[in-house]
Amino acid sequence: MLRLHPRTVQTLMKSLLWAMTGFTLLILVFIIVDISIKGLPQVTPGFLSHEPQDMGRAGGIFSTVVATAYITLLAILLAAPFGVGTAIYLTEYTREGWTTRIIRFGSECLAGVPSIILGLFGFVLFVMKLGLGWSVLSGALTLAIMVLPIIIRTSEEAIKAVPEEYREACYSLGLSQWQTITRIVLPSALPGITTGIMLSVGRSLGETAVLLFTAGAALRTPLSVFDSGRTMAVHFYILAREGLSMPNAYGTAAVLVISILAINLAAYTLMQRLMKRYS
Amino acid sequence: MQQGKFIERVLFLLALSSISSLALITIFIFLEGAPLIYFAGLKNFLASSHWAPTKDHFGILAMIVSSLLVTLGAMVIGVPLGLSCAIVLAEFSPLRLKLILKPTFELLAGIPSVVYGFLGVIWLVPLIRVYLGGPGLSLLAAAIILGIMILPTIISISIDALTAVPDLYRDGSIALGATQWQTVRRVVLPAASSGIITAIILGMGRAVGETMAVIMVAGNALKMPTSILDPVRTLTSNIALELGYAAGRHREGLFATGIVLFVIIMILNLSATLVTRRR
């Protein structure tokens, strides 16, 4: 049996690990380059501002952009109060105990629930039982549940990052706990909370399985919250799966991927800045 | 004081309703699916591969096996790649490179699953068809795409676990004359093992639950796979493919499929929490 010198083993292993890392990086670069090269030429101002024609074979993606913005915005509006409220309760109002443990465990489990299960749930509760039908509202309600754990976790981290001295200073000035939270803690944690909301927007933009069964796939621009709406991700899925139009599929993918990456990058930068301020 | 109590109550209610959404999901999935399992018989449901819901045949064994095989394949691909990246970033790379690469890998997580599925169809499926044979749409294609999709989960949690190992451990090992690689293998990796296992379990959870990418590349054939080049239908794809038009008992069958998926996911989540707590 050949015994190699430990330093030779180290060189071999290091090269192997670096090669694997390089390969992973290559996959990422490949995805982004492929989508950009084939997709970006399709993305003209007209592509974004014209209604889809002929099931999406021609025309633009305007109605899907509207539906995406509509559903995402509504989902965030619904989820943010619950998410931030839960985070405040966990960090400011309770000691670590079984209540916090259950809430945190529940939130972790919720984060692990696959989107198809959320889709099933939203379909049976909102679409069928509550009679909301395939609609912007059904989609937004289900998405809100999906992003809730993201908002809870990031808000909790942001609130925890606010130094204890801030709170003590407030109390010493005679402020109540609620005044301390609303005037000092939340404003200081705002960048972190915003990060969580941006990550939620990113997650919502790319979601398909949930929305296919709750918001439906109608190509008309949704006006009321009870209209069905086809988001960009769902539109892209239908274009690609039914082979309706490769150029339009790539164009939609480019808009989708670039907006998600931009939002996530901004969220990341914001979080780094917050961490730097308090560490 | 009165106001403080009131606010605490409100916040508690917010936290409670956030968590009760998890309970609602569980209740609805079980309420809708359980009657079918009772109707078909648990044994027929789990141990038969005959799925013909319009003729009252509800056997999902082939889908369970396919889901598990696809997940196993994803782990074979994703774990070595992800761990390599994590080790390189946490132990070997210069700080400046780490600061660029870490967010870059996290960007992978933002790319929507439909985009992975689409690129899988465009690039990977033809490669498999030409060089390995079979229809291309296959267990192998799904495993590769999922292996890439779970990378961000594995990388970011493993990096956190590795960086949490105190530098004293490394210094001690190096002082005893071990090489850097020996230190990583014999000291750092064992010390970080519970975090790395959590990363792998959560990665499995993502792979089992992933839907859209799998539908696009797995081929969705209703039979027990005999080779990795066979087209397969997973639990998630079964739900997503048929929910759009299913009614009555057929729809209950899809919720019953959801129950099995839900139970698998919850077992994975629970074991991840237990592993983390052991630390």
Side-chain angles (χ1 to χ4, degrees), chain A residues 10 13-14 20-21 24 28 34 38 82 86 89 93 103 105 112 116-117 124-125 129 178 213 236 260 268, chain B residues 7 11-12 15 17-19 28 32 84-85 88 104 106 108 110 118-119 123 179-181 211 240 270 273:
Chain A
Q10 158 151 309
M13 284 312 297
K14 269 194 176 178
M20 304 259 254
T21 309
T24 309
L28 180 64
D34 186 63
K38 295 190 190 137
F82 287 96
T86 307
Y89 181 75
Y93 277 92
I103 295 175
F105 178 66
I116 187 68
I117 295 277
V124 63
L125 180 59
K129 292 249 164 24
W178 184 240
F213 302 117
F236 167 65
I260 292 173
Y268 189 86
Chain B
I7 288 164
L11 289 173
F12 177 68
S17 32
S18 302
I19 297 318
F28 270 99
E32 294 290 314
S84 304
C85 293
V88 163
T104 310
E106 276 164 18
L108 262 173
F118 177 65
L119 292 179
W123 293 100
T179 64
Q180 204 184 359
W181 168 246
T211 312
L270 212 63
T273 316

Side-chain angles (χ1 to χ4, degrees), chain B residues 113-126:
Chain B
S113 50
V114 272
V115 172
Y116 282 105
F118 177 65
L119 292 179
V121 173
I122 300 268
W123 293 100
L124 185 63
V125 168

Side-chain angles (χ1 to χ4, degrees), chain B residues 168-192:
Chain B
L168 279 174
Y169 289 27
R170 295 185 184 84
D171 297 345
S173 165
I174 300 280
L176 287 171
T179 64
Q180 204 184 359
W181 168 246
Q182 283 172 325
T183 306
V184 169
R185 213 192 110 190
R186 303 273 166 85
V187 178
V188 181
L189 281 179

Side-chain angles (χ1 to χ4, degrees), chain A residues 208-259:
Chain A
T208 314
V210 166
L211 294 170
L212 200 54
F213 302 117
T214 54
L219 255 181
R220 262 174 301 112
T221 310
L223 297 172
S224 112
V225 289
F226 298 107
D227 286 347
S228 165
R230 185 192 284 194
T231 64
M232 282 192 279
V234 173
H235 184 56
F236 167 65
Y237 170 69
I238 292 172
L239 286 182
R241 183 152 174 80
E242 298 183 357
L244 292 174
S245 157
M246 269 308 135
N248 276 3
Y250 261 114
T252 316
V255 176
L256 204 55
V257 168
I258 286 169
S259 32

Side-chain angles (χ1 to χ4, degrees), chain B residues 4-259:
Chain B
K5 263 274 166 274
F6 174 72
I7 288 164
E8 186 182 335
R9 289 263 163 76
V10 171
L11 289 173
F12 177 68
L13 278 181
L14 286 178
L16 201 66
S17 32
S18 302
I19 297 318
S20 57
S21 54
L22 181 69
L24 273 184
I25 292 169
T26 319
I27 293 168
F28 270 99
I29 301 288
F30 275 81
L31 271 185
E32 294 290 314
L36 187 278
I37 300 184
Y38 183 74
F39 169 79
L42 186 63
K43 190 167 163 280
N44 281 334
F45 183 62
L46 292 179
S48 145
S49 289
H50 189 39
W51 174 265
T54 46
K55 297 190 189 88
D56 281 348
H57 289 294
F58 298 94
I60 61 164
L61 181 65
M63 299 169 206
I64 299 179
V65 172
S66 302
S67 271
L68 296 181
L69 287 178
V70 166
T71 306
L72 188 74
M75 303 321 284
V76 170
I77 291 156
V79 171
L81 278 181
L83 265 185
S84 304
C85 293
I87 295 174
V88 163
L89 288 192
E91 304 292 325
F92 298 149
S93 86
L95 185 65
R96 198 180 293 170
L97 194 63
K98 181 183 171 181
L99 288 180
I100 299 171
L101 283 185
K102 194 167 180 257
T104 310
F105 284 132
E106 276 164 18
L107 283 187
L108 262 173
I111 296 171
S113 50
V114 272
V115 172
Y116 282 105
F118 177 65
L119 292 179
V121 173
I122 300 268
W123 293 100
L124 185 63
V125 168
L127 279 180
I128 293 178
R129 186 167 51 222
V130 172
Y131 289 103
L132 299 173
L137 298 163
S138 57
L139 201 163
L140 179 66
I144 294 176
I145 292 295
L146 284 180
I148 297 170
M149 290 182 69
I150 59 172
L151 285 173
T153 312
I154 296 186
I155 295 176
S156 71
I157 302 177
S158 305
I159 287 188
D160 290 345
L162 291 171
T163 26
V165 176
D167 271 336
L168 279 174
Y169 289 27
R170 295 185 184 84
D171 297 345
S173 165
I174 300 280
L176 287 171
T179 64
Q180 204 184 359
W181 168 246
Q182 283 172 325
T183 306
V184 169
R185 213 192 110 190
R186 303 273 166 85
V187 178
V188 181
L189 281 179
S193 62
S194 73
I196 291 172
I197 293 170
T198 309
I200 294 174
I201 296 175
L202 291 179
M204 282 173 78
R206 271 213 69 184
V208 177
E210 178 51 46
T211 312
M212 303 319 282
V214 177
I215 291 193
M216 295 170 91
V217 300
N220 306 322
L222 266 171
K223 63 182 180 66
M224 188 65 84
T226 51
S227 120
I228 55 168
L229 298 175
D230 279 355
V232 292
R233 179 187 291 203
T234 62
L235 294 167
T236 52
S237 6
N238 189 46
I239 301 171
L241 285 166
E242 300 187 356
L243 186 61
Y245 62 88
R249 211 163 262 157
H250 184 182
R251 186 186 288 157
E252 285 178 8
L254 301 180
F255 278 89
T257 315
I259 294 182

